[in-house]
Amino acid sequence: MASFLHIGSALLLGAALVNGQTSATTATTTSLAPAQQTVSADSDSGVPLNTAETVQLTTEVLQNLTSQLNQTTVSYFDFGNATAATKRSTTGCKVFPGDWAWPIDFIWDIFDLLLGGRLIKTVPSASSCYPGWGDQSAAECAYVASVWNDSHFHMEDPTSVMWPLYQGRTCLPTGSNVTATCTLGGYPSYAVNVSNVAQIQLAVNFARNLNIRLVVKNTGHDFSGKSAGAGALSIWTHHLKSLRYIPSYSDSTYSGPAVKMGAGIQAQEVYEFAHANGITVIGGEGKTVGVAGGYILGGGHSPLGSIYGLAADQVLALEVVLPDGTFTTVTAATNPDLFWALRGGGGSTFGIVTSLVVKAYPKIGVTVGSITFGTSNVISADTFFEALKTYYSYFDAFTAAGTYVYFWVFPLGNGQYIFETHPFFAVNHTVDQFNTLIQPFVDDLSALGISVTPSGTYYDDFYDAWLAGFPLETVGSTTMLTGSRLFPRENFNNATLLNVTIAAHRQTLEQGYPILAFQMKADAPAGSVPNAANPAFRTMLMHGITSISWPATASSAEILSAMNTMTNDVLGPWRAVSPNSGAYMSESDLLEPNFQQAFYGSNYARLYSLKQKYDPCGVLYAPTAVGSEDWTVSSADGLPDQNGRLCHV
Ligand SMILES: Cc1cc2nc3c(=O)[nH]c(=O)nc-3n(C[C@H](O)[C@H](O)[C@H](O)COP(=O)(O)OP(=O)(O)OC[C@H]3O[C@@H](n4cnc5c(N)ncnc54)[C@H](O)[C@@H]3O)c2cc1C
Ligand SMILES: *[C@@H]1O[C@H](CO)[C@@H](O)[C@H](O)[C@H]1NC(C)=O
Ligand SMILES: *[C@@H]1O[C@H](CO)[C@@H](O)[C@H](O)[C@H]1NC(C)=O
Ligand SMILES: *[C@@H]1O[C@H](CO)[C@@H](O)[C@H](O)[C@H]1NC(C)=O
Ligand SMILES: *[C@@H]1O[C@H](CO)[C@@H](O)[C@H](O)[C@H]1NC(C)=O
Ligand SMILES: *[C@@H]1O[C@H](CO)[C@@H](O)[C@H](O)[C@H]1NC(C)=O
Ligand SMILES: *[C@@H]1O[C@H](CO)[C@@H](O)[C@H](O)[C@H]1NC(C)=O
Ligand SMILES: *[C@@H]1O[C@H](CO)[C@@H](O)[C@H](O)[C@H]1NC(C)=O
Ligand SMILES: *[C@@H]1O[C@H](CO)[C@@H](O)[C@H](O)[C@H]1NC(C)=O
Ligand SMILES: *[C@@H]1O[C@H](CO)[C@@H](O)[C@H](O)[C@H]1NC(C)=O
C-alpha cells in the first residue's frame, strides 16, 4: 500500500492531534519507521544470511516502539505462543472481516507503516472485468482473459491462484455465468509483499496475536488451494529472490558444492543460475513452480530424481520464521526435528522458510527423447494395452538407468487410444545410449506389430535439455481437477500385480479419463539424513495423475458430484491395486480419504506431534497439511474451497 504509507502517517498524526486521549501515538513524531533492525549475517549453517534475512524484528525494536505506540498496540506485534489469541474468538474460529475483533482500519494502517508500506489490500486479479472495484476496463479485462492460462500472470499477483476452483470461482475474467460476481471469495483480505524477515515476523505475530487466519503464497501453483484463504492475511514470498553459489559447503553430512536460494526462487531462475555456474540443481519440470517454496517442502519430484532422489533430499539448511515469530536456522545439527519435518512434511505447517541451502551437482548431459504409439486400423485396443503393459514392465530398468518420463495416455473415443512421451528424459545418456536402453522395448513393441521410431536429441547440460523438453503448462481452469497415486515397484515387477495394474488403468481410460504420469523413482540418496517425505515416494516407479472435467455452466452440486466421482470411482481402483502406497500431496486429490496415511504415511504421528510443539495455536493452516484435520472451512458454496471462515473443529 504505497499510498497507505501517506494515509497512515496522516492518520497517526491526526489521531495524535485530534483524538489525543485514545491515540495510538504517544510521541510527537508524525510517522512510524519500519519495525526492523539489521543484525549480523552469521548463521549456524555456516552460510551467511542474505540481505533480506539480516533485517529482522527484535525485542529491541518492539521495546523502542513503546515510545510511539501504546502497550496494547505494541503487543499485537510481540513474539510468543499466544493462547491469549483464542480469547478474541468465542466461536473457536479465526477472526473474520466484520467480526468485532477484526482490526479497525487504523490498526491496519499502523501495521502497514511498521511493514514499510508493504501491505496490500486485496483487489481480485480480474477486477477490471467487473464494476465495484474502481478499475473496470474492457481492454484490461480482455488482457487478463488472454493471460489467465499463463502461470506468470498469477504468480505476479499478490493473491491470485492458478486453480480458481479453490478460491470459490469468484471474479473470473470471462464473466462466466457460474459466478458473474467479483467478490474477495477465497482470496485473503490482505497480503504482505515481503522483502525481509522483519516483515514476515510482523505478519506472523500480528496474525497469531489477533487470531487472524494466516496464508503463505509463493507462486500460487498449489493444486488444492493451499495458498488461498478467505479473511486471511497472506505472506507473499515471491520477491525473495536471492541466489548464491557456495563452491564448497561442508557439515557433518555433506561436503561439496551448494546453492542458497531465497524462498521466492522458481525453477527457471535456479536452472539459469546453475547453468551459468556450470553446476546442476534439483528442481521440478514446471517452469514457474516455486522450487524453494511449496515444491521442496512437500517433497518435490524432479527430472533428475531417478538419479538424485527428491528435491527435499537435497536440503542442507533452512532459515525459518517459526509460528512464534522467532527466526531460526534449521540444520541437521541445530534442530534435527524441524530439519526432518520441513524436508517433505509440507508447506505452511511448521514455519515460513525464507531461504534454503541445497546440494549442487556437476553438469550432466541428457537426451530428450520421444516415443509415441496408438491404436489404428491394424492395432487394436487389446494390443495397445499389451504395449502399454510392456512399457510398464521396463519401469524398473528405465528408472535404474536414471531416466524420467512424463507420459500421456489419452482415450480418443470409440476405443481409440494414444501413448506419447513429453518427453523421455534420458539423463546421463547420449543418443546412442538412449537407443541402446530402449531397444528391447522397441523390439517388444515390434513383436506386437507396433513399429515405433524413437527420436532423441542430446544436450550437454540439464538446463538446455529441460528447456527443450518441458514447455510451459497451462493453468487457470475452473472446469477440471486432478487426482493421483504413487504406484510402487512391485506393481510393475510382479506379473500378477502388473496385470492388475494395467487392468485398473485400462478401466480409467475406458471410462474416458486421461492418464498423465511420471515414470521415475525417488529412492533416498545413499548417506542422506532421513526426512519427512512421504515414504511412498521411496518405493514408487510411477506417479500417475488423472483428471475429471465438467461443463463451464456446471452448478456447485454438479462439481461436487464430479469431485466424488474422482475420489471414489476413478481413484478407488488405483488405490485398490496399490493399497500400501500413497499419493503426492502437492499433485493430488484434495478429498483423498485418510489423507494422513496417503500423503504422509508412517511419518504422520511424528509430524503431528511436532506440529503441536511448534505451532500450538494453529497459526499456520492449509488444506490437507499436517494438523489440518483440526480445522474446517465453512465454504459459501458447499464445495471444499477456501471462500469461508476457518474454524476449529
Ligand atoms: C504447472 C505445474 C507444474 C508442476 N510441476 C511439478 C514438478 O515438476 N514436480 C513437482 O514435484 N511438483 C510440481 N508441481 C506441483 C508443485 O510442486 C506444487 O503446486 C507446489 O505446492 C508449488 O509450490 P509453490 O510454492 O510454487 O506454490 P504455492 O501455491 O504458492 O504454495 C504451495 C504451498 O506451499 C506453502 N509455501 C510456499 N512457500 C512457502 C514458504 N516459503 N514457507 C512455508 N510454506 C510455503 C504455501 O503456503 C502452500 O501451502 C507442479 C504444479 C503445477 C501447477
Ligand atoms: C492504544 O491504541 C489503540 C490504537 O490507536 C487504541 O485503539 C487504544 O484505545 C489504545 N489503548 C489505550 C489503553 O490507550
Ligand atoms: C532503540 O532506541 C535507542 C535509543 O533511541 C537507539 O539507540 C537504538 O538504536 C534503537 N534501536 C533500534 C533497533 O531501533
Ligand atoms: C514457544 O514455545 C516453544 C516450544 O515450547 C519455545 O521453545 C519457544 O521459546 C516459545 N516461544 C516464545 C517466543 O516464547
Ligand atoms: C449460462 O450459460 C449457459 C450456456 O451458455 C446457458 O444455458 C444458461 O442459461 C446461462 N445461465 C445464465 C444464468 O445466464
Ligand atoms: C512487491 O515488491 C517488489 C520489490 O520487492 C516490487 O518490485 C513489486 O512491484 C511489488 N509488488 C506489488 C504488487 O506491490
Ligand atoms: C553417468 O554414466 C556414467 C557411465 O556412462 C557413470 O559412470 C556415471 O556415474 C553416471 N553419472 C551419474 C551422475 O549417474
Ligand atoms: C483458461 O482460462 C479460462 C478462463 O479464462 C478457463 O475457463 C479455461 O478452463 C482455462 N483453460 C485451460 C486449458 O486451463
Ligand atoms: C505377486 O503378487 C501377488 C499378489 O499380491 C502375490 O500373491 C505373489 O506372492 C507375488 N509374487 C511374488 C513373486 O512376489
Ligand atoms: C497376465 O495377463 C496375461 C494376459 O494379458 C496372461 O496371459 C498372463 O497369464 C497373466 N499373468 C499372470 C501372472 O496373471
Side-chain angles (χ1 to χ4, degrees), residues 307-308 361-364 401-402 427-429 433:
I307 292 185
Y308 294 119
Y361 297 95
K363 187 171 159 168
I364 194 163
V427 184
N428 201 24
H429 283 68
Q433 288 170 324

Side-chain angles (χ1 to χ4, degrees), residues 198-220:
Q199 293 153 0
I200 298 176
Q201 294 175 299
L202 284 164
V204 168
N205 289 348
F206 187 73
R208 186 191 61 252
N209 292 324
L210 296 183
N211 198 28
I212 292 167
R213 180 172 178 185
L214 188 69
V215 156
V216 183
K217 182 197 165 182
N218 183 24
T219 64

Side-chain angles (χ1 to χ4, degrees), residues 83-170:
T83 46
T86 50
K87 278 192 257 162
R88 297 184 65 85
S89 162
T90 50
T91 57
C93 297
K94 298 278 184 179
V95 172
F96 204 73
D99 291 356
W100 68 266
W102 185 256
I104 56 171
D105 286 351
F106 188 59
I107 296 294
W108 289 102
D109 295 345
I110 290 171
F111 180 35
D112 184 38
L113 289 171
L114 298 178
L115 291 168
R118 310 293 296 194
L119 188 65
I120 298 170
K121 194 165 186 176
T122 303
V123 173
S125 56
S127 60
S128 59
C129 299
Y130 298 83
W133 295 91
D135 64 347
Q136 195 170 11
S137 152
E140 179 63 16
C141 176
Y143 167 73
V144 172
S146 75
V147 294
W148 190 257
N149 296 123
D150 185 328
S151 53
H152 295 88
F153 171 73
H154 302 278
M155 80 194 200
E156 294 299 351
D157 184 275
T159 53
S160 204
V161 289
M162 299 184 195
W163 302 99
L165 183 60
Y166 300 108
Q167 50 83 339
R169 289 172 298 145
T170 186

Side-chain angles (χ1 to χ4, degrees), residues 395 425 464 501:
F395 278 8
F425 203 74
D464 296 314
T501 305

